[in-house]
Every structure is written in structure tokens, then in C-alpha cells.
Amino acid sequence: MRIISCVITVFLLIGCGQTGGEEKIHLTIDVKERDEQVEFIITLINGTEQSTQFEFRSAQKYEIIIRNLDGKDIYKYSRERMFIQMVEYLEVDANKKKTWREQWDYKDNNGNRVEKGTYEIEVMFLGKSEHIEHLWKKEKINIR
């Protein structure tokens, strides 16, 4: 009986904030395409009734990877950037959100303008929380 209780508790903790109805912690990406760049609005939403704390091992809060339809990475946000190595915490209150904005100038990792077409954007939130392993979101954009 004790094992069953432990298993049920683990499943409830794993599920909290990751699956289920609207009351959860999740990530969204709003993509605003323009002629010379695209703006990513990355939002972490705490739709729960309790405050959640996230721990970071560096100043980098998220990773953005852009891939072509063949799955090849063409752009990585952290490439050639330096992030201070430190432990940092972010507290997101119940039913609140935290938003970041980033731009991409349509250039690949080699500095070349990418071709027109459809690309996949993957944003991975790097903060860790007690009951949340990974938060990420994928979207597609059509570059003109």
C-alpha cells in the first residue's frame, strides 16, 4: 500500500505544471516577422495557484534554436555569446508571467542570410524547478 501511495504521489508531482488543463506552468512564443528581422516574445506563464521558483546555473535564461525542414541547426542563440556562470533564481508568482524579447536578423551561424522558406523554432527554458524538468516550445515560421 505504501508503494502505491508513493507511486501516485510521484505521478501527481510529475504532472503538476506539465500537463492537464489551463492551470499549469508553460512556455509560449509569439513570433513577429518583419522584413529584416523576426522578434521572439518568450513568455513563461505560471497558471498555478502557487508561486514557483526557478534556478539557473548561468545568466542565460533560455536557448533558441532555428532549424531548417531537414532538421539541421542553422542558428543557435547562445553561439558566440558569453554568459556569466552563477547561480541565480527567478520567482514567478501564482497566475503571473515573465516575458523576454529577442531578435533574429535571419542570419545563420556563419553570418549568411537564410533562404526564404519554412523553419522550425525551438525555445528551451533553462530554469529548473522542483517539479518541472524541462519547458520548451516549438513553432514554425515562414521567412519571405
Side-chain angles (χ1 to χ4, degrees):
M1 188 63 158
R2 183 180 174 128
I3 292 175
I4 293 172
S5 294
C6 289
V7 169
I8 290 171
T9 301
V10 167
F11 279 116
L12 288 172
L13 290 175
I14 290 172
C16 180
Q18 292 187 15
T19 60
E22 290 300 310
E23 293 186 14
K24 61 180 181 174
I25 297 173
H26 61 282
L27 202 60
T28 65
I29 310 170
D30 185 19
V31 180
K32 297 195 182 290
E33 298 173 55
R34 297 187 175 88
D35 289 337
E36 297 302 317
Q37 71 180 15
V38 63
E39 181 179 34
F40 304 117
I41 302 169
I42 304 162
T43 305
L44 175 67
I45 300 169
N46 181 357
T48 69
E49 296 298 322
Q50 57 187 330
S51 180
T52 301
Q53 186 177 64
F54 294 92
E55 179 182 279
F56 299 89
R57 295 293 177 165
S58 77
Q60 184 181 8
K61 304 295 183 268
Y62 44 83
E63 180 67 82
I64 302 169
I65 298 175
I66 299 174
R67 296 182 180 95
N68 63 19
L69 291 181
D70 293 331
K72 180 182 176 192
D73 291 359
I74 61 162
Y75 171 81
K76 188 172 185 179
Y77 169 75
S78 64
R79 187 170 190 257
E80 296 187 14
R81 292 181 192 239
M82 305 269 301
F83 298 97
I84 189 167
Q85 300 298 304
M86 63 182 194
V87 177
E88 189 175 11
Y89 297 94
L90 170 67
E91 185 92 17
V92 182
D93 292 333
N95 297 303
K96 298 290 182 186
K97 62 186 176 180
K98 172 69 177 164
T99 300
W100 298 270
R101 294 175 181 268
E102 289 296 335
Q103 286 89 35
W104 175 50
D105 61 2
Y106 299 125
K107 292 183 181 173
D108 65 15
N109 287 329
N110 298 317
N112 302 313
R113 174 79 154 78
V114 298
E115 296 178 13
K116 296 177 182 180
T118 303
Y119 293 84
E120 181 180 76
I121 302 161
E122 181 175 7
V123 175
M124 293 160 283
F125 182 69
L126 301 178
K128 302 292 182 210
S129 184
E130 187 176 336
H131 303 296
I132 299 171
E133 284 279 330
H134 303 285
L135 291 172
W136 73 92
K137 183 76 174 174
K138 290 184 181 182
E139 295 286 333
K140 290 196 177 184
I141 62 169
N142 194 15
I143 296 175
R144 299 173 245 146

